[in-house]
Amino acid sequence: MADNQPRVIVVGGGLAGLAASVRIAEAGVPVDLFSMVPVKRSHSVCAQGGINACNEVARQQGYSEWLHMDETLYGGDFLNHQPPVYEMTHWAPKVIDLMDRMGVPFNRTSEGQRDLRLFGGSLFKRTHFAGATTGQQLLYALDEQTRRYEADGKVTKHEFWEFLWPVLDDSNGKKRCVGIVAQDMRSMQIRAFRADAVVMATGGCGMVFGKSTMSVICTGGAASRCYQAGAWLGNPEFIQVHPTAIPGEDKCRLMSESARGEGGRVWVPRKKNDDRPPNDIPTAERWYFLEEKYPKYGNLVPRDIATREIFFVCQQGHGIGGGRMVYLDVTHLPDATKHKLDGILEIYEKFTGDNPRNVPMKIFPAVHYSMGGLYTVYTAKEDSKGMVQGAPNNMMTNLEGLYAFGEVNYQYHGATRLGANALLNCIFDGLFCGLSVVNYVRDQKPGARAAELPAQPFNTVVQQEQAKMKRLLEADGQYNPYQIHAKLGDELTDSCTVIREENRMKRAYEALGELNAQYKNLGLSDAGMWTNQTLSFARALGDMLIYAEAILAGSIARKESRGSHYRPDYPERDDKKFHKTTVAKFDAVTGRATLEYEPVPTPLIAPRARTYGKVEAEADDNKKDKKEEAATS
Amino acid sequence: MTEHTPSTAASSGDPATSFLQQHHFLFRRLHSLSGILPVGVFVIMHLFTNFQMLGGDFQHEVDFIHSTPALLVVEITLWLSIAFHAGLGLVYTFSGRPNVRRYRYGGNWRYYLQRITGFIALGFIFVHVATLRWRWDLFGWFTPFYVRGFDGQPLAHATTAMALQHARWVVAIYLIGAMSVVYHWSNGLWTSAITWGVTISAPAQRRWGYVCAALGIALTVFSLGAVVGALKYHVTDEDRRSIRMTVDFYESGGTDADTKPRPHTATHGHE
Amino acid sequence: MATNTDQKTIRFKVKRQDAPQTAPYWQDFDVPHPPGANVISCLLHIAANPVTADGRTVAPVAWDCNCLEEVCGACTMVINGRVRQSCSALISELAEEAAAVTLEPMTKFPVVRDLMVDRSRMFKNLIDIKAWVPIDGTHALGPGPTESPANQDTRYALSRCMTCGCCLEACPQFLLDNHFIGAAAISQARYFNAHETGKTLQDDRLEALETPGGVSDCGNAQNCVQVCPKDIPLTESIAAIGRQTTVHAIKSFFSGK
């Protein structure tokens, strides 16, 4: 029967979800694609700067896929698994070629080749870009290809449907994901969808921090629901704070790293509380602190480092007018270069009223990306150089048949993600691991297919979700979900972003307990059964609280500093104790994370000190490096 | 069930689509073409001829036009073009809903005016032709036009002058009507360059806009000149007598064949 | 009139509708607005405190939004009578225009609830014009065609269309109950026809655009280009497709099947 043929569900229509849909549909397996928004409006559109890949120009200057891998591991403070990073960086040129064939309007050189720009964490130009809206262009290209399969009937889109819970079948004694339960966000209908594999491509969890650079749907709700259903989280505490964003009332708007990649400079007045307009401050009285401290990488140190430096400079009172802002200056760039940045300069102009072409931008760090996410596994090649292509378990979570692609996948970036590696990671996951999904569902024996299972496991989850909805709709407590969310955001942003002080985090952890209590005493201002956005938000809030607990617990427990995780009480990296993946398992009884640690193998590159040539640290590092070299040789 | 997906016509495979819809693109383009070419060329010639009332040899021009060998064919072509252009224009006009109150952009006003002037022009042309050419008596507005009287007397200027001097509101109607025609044509010429894809870039559209505006201004000058020329003409008693006799002549069953030969055709170059 | 009793409060007049079939009604809200506030942050305030100006607690206003930085295209609505993205509508600027901020859903799409409308017609239009490059699958087959920087620049401007619907809302030819395809999709057809591989489907696209509701239904009011938040040269696209369809029609008249 045709109905028994394997099907795949993809949750999330960003780069990873669309790349997976296209790849899986292309292999002949029908795809049901779920998204809370029309997929073309997914958060991937917000990515600006570009996508990294080794290219011929860089190669002839000494760059290679291997170096790209090395940079990614160095940037990630060696917390990333090496075979997947190897595979991703070696696939990167193919990914660019493919996106190029799809018609992405990459910027061009006079000869018509793809243009390149410099980006953080690298000394080579290896970032391909389309103006300053690369994510938008890449997403649209995949959206178009998905539409092509949609027109052919191979992809069925379920837009304005919210993923509520994975359906797990344990009739064979082993938990296996066989579908999802989702809700139509308009009619509020809750129903189950069967599938032989489910790919979660649901992005990050920025909303947990209240205001971030992320879109409003990036609550981490979907990941949290999988986590509560038994999937593990990997490294939930690793959250990237982007150095340059425009602080706003409703969100912090990203000012791409490409501004610095194209030559933009970060500075503050040397004199504290200098209240002169920026253009009146002569160069000699400007402190280009990143260039001064990191002569090698300058403004293009990895994000966590730039963020901390900006934060410290402001703490020392050097921020603009003594406040929490620094200048990001592109005014000196030639017009042709500014033209390449139009996409972001327009955003700045629209939202602040100042023209950044003439006046330096005022920026401050903001939560941007979650390196952590659903824990996944893979099959490494024997020599650890890459993953086995098509291995059914590549990027599968600990729950069989449940995959995690893109930002929700904890792989690839370790303790900090390098700029322009996210787009790569998303598309790579979809393309490379999409094949794994195809192989996995094809391996399912007839008779064990999702379509052939009894209704019971599906009905159980539908009932569970209906009961949850009923509880929320009928709640008549005194707390408003939006207000709880604001407090959650404040607590997490204050305790668990740039500087993570143990006492502050513990206070936040306690506050979380209070917020959980308030959540149990919720009152919804909308009890309707048509397009009830409050219900959706309130439900996600519960999931955010649970995810936030894992972030805080992981941050408190990791007593070291590594990448984006900076603990003033433990300022050094501690490889002995913490060169390990945090694995968070949800304890349904306590509602809390149980943390376990899993060593990170380093088959290809041995960890080394991560200094990026900082001047004051240089002397020590040289010694350390030499020691390490001696030890490894 | 909540999905509202009005199918775009681009994909509708409704077998009952009308002839008009099946050849939609062709009709749209013919609509554009019929407005610019036959109607447009005629309008230019007509206004230029009328402009001769201001100091030129209007009678000579009119005689020349009326000596065109297949005048009837030309006239029928013109009528068909106007009918085609107007008929489709009406259908197309009602496919849109102007929103100038919300979006007060120049282009939007031009779009709105194009439709308004289309209606006015259609009404005006009808009245203009009915009273002058067909010599209808519209509610006492009886101002027939004759190129020459039954006796060969030149009457083109005199009858036109009589028509315009009939009443002030006739002048108003002629001014509004002629302006509408001129606007409709010159703006249509501008948009047709976009429709056909002649002007693509915004600067090209702007440049062509200047050309069309200049043409429009020239035609406006012609029409104003014609009106002034008609108003300035002093209708003599002889003119009145000749016109009355000519009216009587035709009303009593006379035909063009019975009139005297037109001097223009007989003796070319009478200067 | 704006209430001046509270400092920095602005009156929001919101056109609401509970469901597609129910009648719309208006509600007023007084919203405090700190510097830098925009329509979205005010709507978020209403969501957290859904109390009308006359003190009634009501259901929060439903609206569409996502990225809040004007790249996703979700939050289009009619603000003070003009269609635009609500995320980039700063209160400080709106306050200069009028004493109150009026929010209405778009009128050219069916209302789902309050300020939310159903724009699926726009996405369907993209299928009709085959808005994609027909690649031979996702396997590694080398790079795409090279492209001149000038062509890239043209295409890039077109590729920024976020399907927000502003151009259609402002278009006098695009109506809730007609079939006009509108500027967005016409411009996308131009975008794909300008790509070396995308060109392969050019005839299909042009044929789709020659049917009723296609490019020739444009009335050249040119509102689209005025309201486009991404400054996409939509009228140039319409002209370019005009030329392509002209040439295509003539070609197929003389050498078509």
Side-chain angles (χ1 to χ4, degrees):
Chain A
M1 220 172 91
D3 280 348
N4 285 353
Q5 68 174 318
R7 289 187 83 83
V8 170
I9 281 176
V10 175
V11 183
L15 281 176
L18 294 184
S21 299
V22 168
R23 181 62 129 205
I24 294 166
E26 179 183 277
V29 178
V31 174
D32 286 298
L33 175 57
F34 287 78
S35 173
M36 293 175 74
V37 293
V39 295
K40 201 178 174 180
R41 312 204 192 286
S42 301
H43 178 61
S44 303
V45 288
C46 291
Q48 299 169 341
I51 175 166
N52 292 335
C54 180
N55 55 82
E56 284 316 304
V57 179
R59 195 187 301 284
Q60 288 165 41
Q61 291 166 8
Y63 197 63
S64 63
E65 286 88 348
W66 180 270
L67 264 185
H68 185 185
M69 171 187 74
D70 182 80
E71 285 169 350
T72 305
L73 296 171
Y74 185 47
D77 231 346
F78 301 96
L79 198 59
N80 9 23
H81 277 229
Q82 301 186 350
V85 176
Y86 180 99
E87 196 67 57
M88 176 178 80
T89 54
H90 283 72
W91 257 66
K94 293 185 218 172
V95 169
I96 304 291
D97 278 351
L98 174 62
M99 299 315 291
D100 189 11
R101 281 169 49 221
M102 285 182 190
V104 172
F106 286 114
N107 274 58
R108 298 284 163 170
T109 61
S110 55
E111 198 187 317
Q113 310 284 347
R114 294 174 300 231
D115 202 0
L116 299 159
R117 70 163 46 125
L118 206 53
F119 234 73
S122 184
L123 299 170
F124 296 89
K125 282 194 178 183
R126 46 97 162 108
T127 303
H128 303 70
F129 62 100
T133 58
T134 315
Q136 186 188 24
Q137 309 314 324
L138 294 174
L139 182 78
Y140 288 1
L142 287 167
D143 173 60
E144 290 145 12
Q145 296 301 322
T146 307
R147 187 164 291 113
R148 196 178 160 197
Y149 286 109
E150 186 190 9
D152 277 356
K154 289 174 186 158
V155 170
T156 311
K157 278 187 194 156
H158 303 265
E159 289 170 334
F160 293 109
W161 278 81
E162 183 176 0
F163 164 84
L164 297 184
W165 210 261
V167 178
L168 303 173
D169 170 56
D170 50 7
S171 51
N172 293 351
K174 195 177 175 191
K175 273 191 182 172
R176 179 169 69 111
C177 185
V178 290
I180 66 165
V181 166
Q183 180 167 33
D184 183 332
M185 295 167 74
R186 297 174 177 194
S187 71
M188 308 310 283
Q189 176 203 11
I190 291 176
R191 59 160 286 205
F193 294 83
R194 295 171 182 235
D196 299 277
V198 172
V199 177
M200 301 301 293
T202 53
C205 62
M207 286 294 278
V208 171
F209 292 81
K211 281 187 244 176
S212 71
T213 66
M214 286 194 220
S215 296
V216 295
I217 51 168
C218 302
T219 60
S224 175
R225 286 162 197 166
C226 292
Y227 165 59
Q228 293 164 62
W232 303 337
L233 295 179
N235 294 333
E237 68 271 32
F238 285 94
I239 300 288
Q240 178 165 86
V241 182
H242 195 287
T244 58
I246 326 166
E249 269 306 302
D250 48 345
K251 84 170 289 194
C252 300
R253 295 180 175 87
L254 179 65
M255 268 304 112
S256 169
E257 194 166 298
S258 56
R260 284 170 287 141
E262 294 287 354
R265 304 174 76 185
V266 175
W267 61 275
V268 288
R270 281 203 185 270
K271 204 169 71 189
K272 284 184 189 176
N273 299 316
D274 193 336
D275 55 3
R276 286 177 291 176
N279 287 337
D280 292 352
I281 302 177
T283 314
E285 292 172 44
R286 297 175 176 187
W287 184 20
Y288 294 96
F289 54 94
L290 287 175
E291 296 168 36
E292 206 167 280
K293 291 183 182 177
Y294 300 89
K296 199 167 164 193
Y297 286 84
N299 291 292
L300 289 173
V301 286
R303 290 170 176 173
D304 58 313
I305 296 178
T307 294
R308 273 194 296 277
E309 296 294 351
I310 291 171
F311 198 84
F312 290 146
V313 158
C314 292
Q315 257 188 349
Q316 292 158 16
H318 278 286
I320 303 169
R324 284 158 58 102
M325 299 258 231
V326 302
Y327 289 120
L328 170 60
D329 195 346
V330 297
T331 56
H332 58 285
L333 299 178
D335 286 346
T337 310
K338 283 178 189 158
H339 179 56
K340 292 186 201 170
L341 298 171
D342 272 344
I344 53 165
L345 301 185
E346 278 164 18
I347 291 179
Y348 188 86
E349 193 171 1
K350 272 198 183 163
F351 286 96
T352 66
D354 292 334
N355 184 350
R357 293 167 192 87
N358 309 325
V359 184
M361 296 180 267
K362 292 178 187 173
I363 51 95
F364 196 71
V367 169
H368 180 58
Y369 186 88
S370 359
M371 274 75 71
L374 290 171
Y375 174 90
T376 50
V377 296
Y378 58 90
T379 304
K381 285 184 189 152
E382 264 179 42
D383 58 1
S384 294
K385 289 184 174 171
M387 299 188 279
V388 174
Q389 194 169 359
N393 74 342
N394 285 339
M395 301 308 145
M396 192 190 271
T397 65
N398 57 302
L399 299 176
E400 196 188 306
L402 184 70
Y403 292 80
F405 290 1
E407 186 172 347
V408 77
N409 181 4
Y410 95 109
Q411 294 281 0
Y412 305 109
H413 306 301
T416 286
R417 173 175 69 77
L418 291 187
N421 260 353
L423 300 181
L424 174 62
N425 145 218
C426 288
I427 302 173
F428 168 75
D429 260 350
L431 295 179
F432 187 87
C433 307
L435 184 64
S436 300
V437 177
V438 170
N439 288 342
Y440 168 76
V441 298
R442 291 235 164 102
D443 285 350
Q444 299 299 307
K445 290 182 190 71
R449 297 225 168 101
E452 297 158 323
L453 291 174
Q456 184 269 329
F458 300 95
N459 291 345
T460 309
V461 181
V462 169
Q463 282 155 14
Q464 164 203 315
E465 289 303 316
Q466 276 168 342
K468 194 190 282 175
M469 173 171 73
K470 193 161 176 271
R471 214 161 50 234
L472 284 168
L473 288 176
E474 288 171 358
D476 57 353
Q478 55 182 327
Y479 292 102
N480 178 310
Y482 295 96
Q483 287 157 356
I484 298 180
H485 174 246
K487 282 185 219 154
L488 169 70
D490 289 346
E491 280 299 324
L492 258 85
T493 303
D494 208 34
S495 66
C496 208
T497 48
V498 186
I499 311 285
R500 296 175 162 181
E501 283 169 343
E502 181 146 337
N503 289 335
R504 181 66 191 86
M505 287 196 286
K506 284 184 170 160
R507 279 214 314 281
Y509 198 89
E510 277 163 30
L512 206 57
E514 272 168 46
L515 293 178
N516 265 311
Q518 290 180 4
Y519 183 73
K520 294 203 173 73
N521 197 4
L522 213 54
L524 257 55
S525 47
D526 189 353
M529 280 299 281
W530 175 257
T531 323
N532 188 335
Q533 295 177 321
T534 313
L535 168 74
S536 169
F537 183 79
R539 182 171 42 211
L541 176 64
D543 303 311
M544 280 191 259
L545 288 165
I546 287 167
Y547 201 102
E549 193 273 339
I551 294 174
L552 270 175
S555 304
I556 294 170
R558 185 174 281 274
K559 296 185 191 309
E560 64 157 353
S561 290
R562 183 185 295 270
S564 63
H565 175 75
Y566 177 72
R567 296 273 305 253
D569 42 355
Y570 302 94
E572 296 297 322
R573 188 171 90 190
D574 185 347
D575 281 347
K576 248 184 214 146
K577 279 191 196 152
F578 288 107
H579 190 217
K580 285 170 183 159
T581 301
T582 307
V583 181
K585 302 179 180 177
F586 183 69
D587 182 336
V589 180
T590 60
R592 290 176 177 185
T594 309
L595 301 179
E596 288 170 20
Y597 291 90
E598 190 187 81
V600 179
T602 52
L604 303 175
I605 307 257
R608 60 182 186 272
R610 182 175 181 269
T611 65
Y612 285 92
K614 189 173 184 179
V615 178
E616 55 198 56
E618 192 86 303
D620 291 352
D621 293 338
N622 282 345
K623 273 184 228 155
K624 242 188 234 166
D625 277 356
K626 270 176 201 149
K627 257 189 227 161
E628 270 165 28
E629 271 166 37
T632 47
S633 58
Chain B
M1 55 161 222
T2 64
E3 291 294 302
H4 175 100
T5 48
S7 78
T8 63
S11 69
S12 76
D14 182 7
T17 43
S18 66
F19 181 72
L20 208 63
Q21 281 185 309
Q22 273 173 24
H23 302 280
H24 180 79
F25 183 76
L26 180 67
F27 276 113
R28 279 282 194 175
R29 284 289 200 265
L30 287 179
H31 176 246
S32 172
L33 196 64
S34 63
I36 301 161
L37 278 184
V39 183
V41 169
F42 172 74
V43 166
I44 293 181
M45 279 179 57
H46 185 42
L47 289 177
F48 183 74
T49 307
N50 290 8
F51 182 51
Q52 301 306 311
M53 279 191 274
L54 197 68
D57 190 347
F58 182 53
Q59 184 66 39
H60 171 78
E61 292 291 329
V62 178
D63 279 335
F64 174 72
I65 290 171
H66 283 259
S67 67
T68 310
L71 187 62
L72 190 67
V73 176
V74 174
E75 224 174 333
I76 288 174
T77 311
L78 206 55
W79 281 120
L80 288 178
S81 297
I82 291 179
F84 178 79
H85 188 78
L88 281 183
L90 284 172
V91 173
Y92 296 154
T93 298
F94 290 112
S95 72
R97 210 162 294 157
N99 54 9
V100 276
R101 235 177 281 161
R102 272 211 158 156
Y103 301 98
R104 297 158 190 258
Y105 307 119
N108 206 20
W109 274 109
R110 288 196 293 275
Y111 163 90
Y112 185 52
L113 278 179
Q114 184 70 0
R115 277 135 190 86
I116 300 288
T117 53
F119 288 121
I120 297 176
L122 182 59
F124 170 69
I125 290 170
F126 173 75
V127 169
H128 174 60
V129 171
T131 53
L132 294 183
R133 186 92 180 93
W134 299 334
R135 295 150 193 165
W136 288 7
D137 184 346
L138 281 181
F139 317 111
W141 178 12
F142 181 58
T143 54
F145 171 81
Y146 298 105
V147 180
R148 279 174 185 273
F150 74 103
D151 53 355
Q153 168 90 359
L155 282 182
H157 205 155
T159 47
T160 312
M162 285 276 286
L164 265 99
Q165 292 171 15
H166 180 74
R168 286 227 179 124
W169 53 265
V170 174
V171 179
I173 285 178
Y174 267 82
L175 283 177
I176 294 172
M179 297 297 172
S180 296
V181 170
V182 168
Y183 175 85
H184 192 79
W185 184 75
S186 14
N187 187 57
L189 187 66
W190 181 70
T191 58
S192 69
I194 300 169
T195 305
W196 290 79
V198 178
T199 54
I200 289 187
S201 71
Q205 292 183 16
R206 201 164 44 243
R207 285 191 291 269
W208 181 240
Y210 295 142
V211 173
C212 295
L215 273 170
I217 290 167
L219 291 178
T220 307
V221 170
F222 291 166
S223 354
L224 288 177
V227 170
V228 171
L231 291 177
K232 270 174 69 181
Y233 183 85
H234 178 68
V235 186
T236 60
D237 287 344
E238 199 195 335
D239 287 334
R240 286 183 211 283
R241 195 170 40 82
S242 185
I243 292 172
R244 197 168 313 119
M245 287 172 71
T246 307
V247 168
D248 292 344
F249 168 77
Y250 283 108
E251 280 189 352
S252 60
T255 61
D256 286 346
D258 305 327
T259 57
K260 292 193 176 167
R262 291 154 200 274
H264 176 78
T265 45
T267 57
H268 200 272
H270 57 100
E271 290 96 334
Chain C
M1 288 289 100
T3 50
N4 293 321
T5 45
D6 268 321
Q7 274 187 337
K8 281 183 174 180
T9 303
I10 193 158
R11 171 66 58 95
F12 269 73
K13 294 175 175 294
V14 185
K15 189 178 187 184
R16 309 200 55 176
Q17 186 172 335
D18 296 339
Q21 288 82 21
T22 60
Y25 57 95
W26 290 83
Q27 265 173 2
D28 292 0
F29 300 89
D30 287 327
V31 185
H33 63 100
N38 57 25
V39 167
I40 296 276
S41 68
C42 290
L43 282 170
L44 285 167
H45 178 90
I46 294 175
N49 314 277
V51 180
T52 60
D54 50 11
R56 280 179 306 133
T57 300
V58 295
V61 179
W63 84 98
D64 239 346
C65 71
N66 196 26
C67 77
L68 311 189
E69 52 193 56
E70 213 184 59
V71 277
C72 80
C75 67
T76 321
M77 55 185 81
V78 178
I79 302 171
N80 286 354
R82 182 178 174 273
V83 68
R84 58 184 297 183
Q85 304 302 114
S86 46
C87 63
S88 59
L90 304 181
I91 302 301
S92 54
E93 288 169 12
L94 294 173
E96 284 171 21
E97 286 175 14
V101 177
T102 309
L103 303 183
E104 294 165 80
M106 285 196 276
T107 60
K108 304 292 178 74
F109 300 95
V111 172
V112 174
R113 182 177 173 182
D114 294 339
L115 303 171
M116 273 183 83
V117 297
D118 180 349
R119 279 170 282 185
S120 43
R121 174 176 171 186
M122 290 191 76
F123 293 106
K124 217 193 135 287
N125 285 345
L126 292 177
I127 292 184
D128 290 340
I129 57 147
K130 300 195 177 173
W132 55 74
V133 173
I135 57 162
D136 293 343
T138 58
H139 297 91
L141 300 173
T146 56
E147 182 177 21
S148 72
N151 200 58
Q152 185 273 343
D153 209 46
T154 308
R155 285 206 310 125
Y156 178 70
L158 306 179
S159 72
R160 297 179 64 201
C161 172
M162 49 191 190
T163 325
C164 67
C166 286
C167 56
L168 307 181
E169 174 67 17
C171 174
Q173 293 290 105
F174 185 95
L175 305 176
L176 183 62
D177 49 7
N178 75 0
H179 290 315
F180 182 38
I181 195 162
I186 294 172
S187 189
Q188 285 294 295
R190 178 191 184 203
Y191 171 65
F192 288 100
N193 289 352
H195 184 264
E196 204 57 39
T197 319
K199 228 176 247 172
T200 342
L201 295 176
Q202 174 159 327
D203 286 351
D204 291 3
R205 291 190 195 105
L206 296 178
E207 275 153 31
L209 288 171
E210 285 167 12
T211 58
V215 66
S216 53
D217 286 19
C218 168
N220 293 305
Q222 305 205 329
N223 289 352
C224 50
V225 79
Q226 297 279 354
V227 297
C228 176
K230 296 280 114 180
D231 297 326
I232 298 168
L234 294 167
T235 47
E236 296 190 358
S237 293
I238 291 169
I241 289 296
R243 179 180 291 183
Q244 290 175 13
T245 46
T246 303
V247 173
H248 173 258
I250 293 171
K251 263 193 191 162
S252 46
F253 182 83
F254 288 108
S255 57
K257 278 172 209 159

